[in-house]
Amino acid sequence: MDQKKLEDLLKMLQVNQGDLAKLSEQQRKDMKDYKFWKTQPVQKFGQEVDKEGPIDAQKRPEDVPADPLPMLGEFEWSTVDIEDAAQLEDVFVLLNENYVEDKDAAFRFNYTREFFHWALKPPGWSREWNVGVRVKATGKLVAFISAIPIDLAVRGKDVRSVEINFLCVHKQLRSKRMAPVLIKEITRRVNRQDIWHALYTAGVVLPSPISTCRYAHRPINWAKLQDVGFTDVPAGKTAPEMVAMYALPGKTKTSGLRRMAAGDVDAALALLVKYQRRFELVQKFSKAEFAHWFLGEDESASDDDASRVIHSYVVEDADGKITDFFSFYSLPFTVLEHAVHKELGIGYLFYYASDADFAFDDRFSAEATAALKTRLTALIGDATILAKQAKMDVFNALTSQDNTLFLDALKFGPGDGFLNFYLFNYKAFPVTGGIKDDKSYDTERRSNVGVVML
Ligand SMILES: CCCCCCCCCCCCCC(=O)SCCNC(=O)CCNC(=O)[C@H](O)C(C)(C)COP(=O)(O)OP(=O)(O)OC[C@H]1O[C@@H](n2cnc3c(N)ncnc32)[C@H](O)[C@@H]1OP(=O)(O)O
């Protein structure tokens, strides 16, 4: 396989690090050169943490200015109403053309209304937190940033937070310090609603990651990836050999596996909560949040509905007990100007849980590890089969959660993208990200990152 080309494609698929230029701009600057970030309540590089907790002294919403920061002459702030089709379209256009660097303009994220409603409208979402910048004269949207509320827990401590995502500045307005203004404005709007912490991820290194995970990619439809020019037959191999290597069974294997239904929410949520207790950085889902994130907006979507964003499954044993749960979401690419293929399906592993190691006192013991490894390999193997049935051509995962237990066995190749996790206004000890010093999968310590961001 032409590893380089495939890697290039797969890098473009990472929503959180769409900017390839930034990606290659490896590693960090000196702290003093982070002109913006050194003014913010974030951990400095190498800063010793004595005790975990907030960085800033406690403030009240009324201490925060009620009005937006001034915006440069020709631009103006614009709260984007994502329930308005035309305004949502503005966001798609901005992100399509500026979020992913694809010089040949051969591919675009196929953002849909369904995807954005799922990603940006969980329970408690705020209209004010979809912040845009428009050109005054034309109304053109040239920058965007979003926040959604989450109940985060860091090593068992509740940290009411927001998740920041989809920060984007138009290519022609890059390096003009617009990003810091957007970040300050979203901070102001979030603080006005009495929230003082944030979780965010980025491919770039900023002060200072609490954890770093690696991307892993599992080609599902190798022949199609070759057709669209992403991959070549590697030396010493033939195309049929490559197809055979990545071939998947037509049917899932786990008995009792079925799509999650509304009636499963209580049991699946309880299972997820219990499973996630092992991790140090987790999202605490309310019942309503769980239903939103895992059933999605459109419960009536049929099994083969290609527009389905979130796919959630449970395993029910003979006694009617939910023993396992997994989910993945879809964010496809549109393939431009290709004679045969119009779309490339991309699946992203989301949350999962299993009771496979619950009976063991020490989850890192050989027996507990073997039990969980066997079960997760079967479950996520089935997830790749279901992803294939849902017309996905590549399946992505990180080294977070307990993923390193199954990545190799299921032929997820290590990508060269890394994802850094950050906390705003909260200092904390590092959290393991599932990679060793040499960046290979850490199958022993695994990861203590439980939270999964879009
Ligand atoms: C309590 C509530 C708090 C809420 C807020 C919590 C914090 C949220 C933080 C945001 C989480 C976002 C999560 C996501 O969505 S990550 C996805 C980010 N988006 C992309 O990669 C899309 C393509 N790229 C772009 O659109 C632009 O290059 C962006 C907008 C990224 C930067 O625009 P531009 O290239 O024109 O630069 P500038 O001149 O305006 O500004 C330069 C300053 O910006 C710092 N920079 C560069 N990239 C990032 C980055 N990804 N996160 C944070 N900071 C970043 C940089 O170090 C420098 O600061 P300093 O080095 O001088 O100090």
Side-chain angles (χ1 to χ4, degrees):
M1 182 186 319
D2 183 337
Q3 195 63 30
K4 180 74 182 68
K5 268 194 184 166
L6 183 58
E7 286 302 337
D8 283 351
L9 158 69
L10 295 168
K11 269 193 293 190
M12 290 195 302
L13 306 179
Q14 310 315 333
V15 181
N16 282 318
Q17 49 179 59
D19 188 343
L20 292 183
K22 292 274 172 192
L23 263 185
S24 52
E25 181 193 288
Q26 241 332 304
Q27 293 316 317
R28 56 168 136 143
K29 306 183 275 192
D30 278 349
M31 196 60 220
K32 66 173 178 9
D33 296 326
Y34 284 95
K35 298 229 155 30
F36 168 64
W37 280 109
K38 71 179 178 192
T39 67
Q40 297 298 300
V42 291
Q43 245 170 271
K44 313 264 181 290
F45 291 122
Q47 191 182 7
E48 285 278 311
V49 176
D50 45 350
K51 189 165 166 275
E52 299 196 322
I55 295 172
D56 273 344
Q58 206 177 329
K59 282 187 263 178
R60 293 168 310 167
E62 35 309 3
D63 302 332
V64 176
D67 296 318
L69 289 159
M71 180 44 71
L72 291 171
E74 63 187 288
F75 304 105
E76 63 189 5
W77 291 112
S78 162
T79 299
V80 180
D81 179 0
I82 55 164
E83 291 188 307
D84 177 279
Q87 295 190 43
L88 193 57
E89 183 66 28
D90 291 343
V91 179
F92 295 167
V93 170
L94 175 75
L95 294 183
N96 274 335
E97 293 173 2
N98 302 280
Y99 208 68
V100 173
E101 301 282 339
D102 170 21
K103 292 185 185 63
D104 308 330
F107 310 96
R108 289 195 171 158
F109 276 118
N110 188 5
Y111 288 121
T112 56
R113 181 201 152 276
E114 287 78 12
F115 183 85
F116 264 90
H117 280 211
W118 180 66
L120 293 180
K121 281 177 58 191
W125 73 285
S126 170
R127 286 171 197 282
E128 289 293 304
W129 294 350
N130 293 303
V131 183
V133 174
R134 291 182 189 272
V135 176
K136 260 190 207 159
T138 60
K140 187 182 161 80
L141 187 74
V142 291
F144 185 74
I145 192 167
S146 68
I148 53 170
I150 72 160
D151 282 316
L152 195 68
V154 185
R155 291 198 177 82
K157 266 200 199 146
D158 290 344
V159 186
R160 178 71 177 155
S161 299
V162 289
E163 246 178 47
I164 303 290
N165 213 334
F166 305 110
L167 166 63
C168 185
V169 167
H170 194 283
K171 280 179 188 166
Q172 285 168 356
L173 296 171
R174 294 278 166 87
S175 304
K176 296 185 191 306
R177 315 299 300 177
M178 200 174 253
V181 184
L182 283 162
I183 293 167
K184 282 193 246 175
E185 176 58 10
I186 195 102
T187 303
R188 188 191 68 79
R189 293 184 186 207
V190 169
N191 287 167
R192 288 289 294 180
Q193 295 191 38
D194 206 9
I195 297 181
W196 306 90
H197 308 283
L199 169 70
Y200 50 104
T201 53
V204 290
V205 178
L206 306 165
S208 292
I210 178 175
S211 189
T212 303
C213 297
R214 185 170 190 172
Y215 280 104
H217 315 285
R218 207 285 178 197
I220 291 180
N221 190 344
W222 188 88
K224 184 169 165 188
L225 293 175
Q226 190 202 18
D227 268 0
V228 296
F230 286 131
T231 174
D232 289 326
V233 185
K237 293 269 183 197
T238 64
E241 279 171 349
M242 295 310 290
V243 170
M245 177 169 146
Y246 289 114
L248 286 166
K251 280 202 187 123
T252 58
K253 293 190 191 128
T254 310
S255 67
L257 178 69
R258 59 172 173 78
R259 214 181 254 289
M260 190 175 95
D264 299 315
V265 164
D266 284 322
L269 172 57
L271 180 70
L272 180 66
V273 168
K274 190 166 177 194
Y275 186 80
Q276 287 251 321
R277 266 183 216 146
R278 67 191 58 205
F279 301 126
E280 292 172 347
L281 185 65
V282 298
Q283 172 167 5
K284 293 171 88 175
F285 294 97
S286 68
K287 189 173 171 182
E289 284 170 333
F290 186 89
H292 171 88
W293 288 114
F294 300 105
L295 291 174
E297 273 226 321
D298 187 7
E299 286 170 46
S300 63
S302 69
D303 271 7
D304 54 6
D305 187 347
S307 71
R308 185 186 273 277
V309 176
I310 178 72
H311 299 251
S312 299
Y313 288 82
V314 291
V315 179
E316 182 177 338
D317 72 8
D319 304 325
K321 191 173 165 235
I322 301 299
T323 56
D324 310 86
F325 150 78
F326 65 75
S327 57
F328 53 95
Y329 66 90
S330 161
L331 179 52
F333 258 171
T334 299
V335 182
L336 304 172
E337 291 169 35
H338 191 278
V340 181
H341 301 297
K342 304 279 169 257
E343 192 163 84
L344 210 54
I346 322 288
Y348 294 82
L349 182 62
F350 202 38
Y351 285 85
Y352 59 81
S354 169
D355 71 3
D357 66 3
F358 284 178
F360 301 90
D361 291 336
D362 173 11
R363 76 176 175 107
F364 290 107
S365 71
E367 298 81 4
T369 302
L372 186 64
K373 182 176 175 161
T374 303
R375 184 86 69 87
L376 289 184
T377 305
L379 288 171
I380 308 304
D382 278 352
T384 60
I385 293 167
L386 292 161
K388 182 181 177 191
Q389 290 171 7
K391 309 266 185 298
M392 291 166 187
D393 302 306
V394 186
F395 198 79
N396 293 337
L398 283 166
T399 54
S400 57
Q401 301 160 287
D402 283 319
N403 297 0
T404 56
L405 289 181
F406 57 77
L407 292 176
D408 273 333
L410 295 176
K411 299 179 182 158
F412 281 81
D416 49 30
F418 293 86
L419 190 65
N420 300 297
F421 287 72
Y422 299 97
L423 295 176
F424 185 88
N425 188 25
Y426 200 87
K427 55 182 180 195
F429 300 110
V431 174
T432 51
I435 45 176
K436 297 192 245 182
D437 287 344
D438 67 1
K439 313 287 188 224
S440 62
Y441 301 151
D442 189 342
T443 52
E444 268 168 39
R445 295 192 308 159
R446 306 179 217 162
S447 171
N448 277 318
V449 175
V451 67
V452 185
M453 285 196 57
L454 302 184

